[in-house]
Amino acid sequence: SSFFLPVSNNDQRDTTKILWLRSKFRGLLPQPFAPWPMGTTTEPTYLNDRNQEDMHAYSKIDDCQYAVDLDLDGENTGGLGSWKQWKKVFCVPFMDSS
């Protein structure tokens, strides 16, 4: 959740942001919380009740410094596995309940 991302202690501006890169998923993505103090009471822009994809939610890969991806048994889900410029710095097993 973007609610728990760190902020600067001096000015309360966001220093870390969650950005979304387009993949095979075509549903509604989580949106960042508004700044304090209205963060949990303001409805984010572009929400819908139909789980329809919103193109405003995506960022360019060049805007990212780190990335998180899920790779299930070598299956390329259309995420970071298709972008060769990334270097793996941390990997952990994921329990697939299916």
Side-chain angles (χ1 to χ4, degrees), residues 1-70:
S1 168
S2 64
F3 191 77
F4 296 106
L5 288 177
V7 296
S8 169
N9 291 333
N10 299 332
D11 57 17
Q12 293 298 307
R13 289 185 304 173
D14 292 336
T15 56
T16 307
K17 294 180 181 175
I18 293 177
L19 303 176
W20 300 103
L21 301 173
R22 196 149 193 247
S23 66
K24 290 182 180 180
F25 179 74
R26 294 293 182 260
L28 189 61
L29 294 167
Q31 297 291 315
F33 285 93
W36 179 263
M38 301 302 291
T40 58
T41 59
T42 304
E43 183 176 310
T45 311
Y46 306 116
L47 282 183
N48 66 71
D49 60 357
R50 297 171 304 282
N51 195 30
Q52 291 180 336
E53 179 179 32
D54 170 39
M55 298 306 289
H56 291 94
Y58 298 114
S59 296
K60 296 176 188 169
I61 196 166
D62 294 337
D63 296 333
C64 301
Q65 294 176 337
Y66 295 95
V68 176
D69 192 21
L70 175 62

Side-chain angles (χ1 to χ4, degrees), residues 79-94:
L80 298 175
S82 61
W83 297 313
K84 301 297 182 196
Q85 74 258 31
W86 293 99
K87 176 180 127 183
K88 292 181 182 180
V89 294
F90 184 73
C91 298
V92 294
F94 180 82

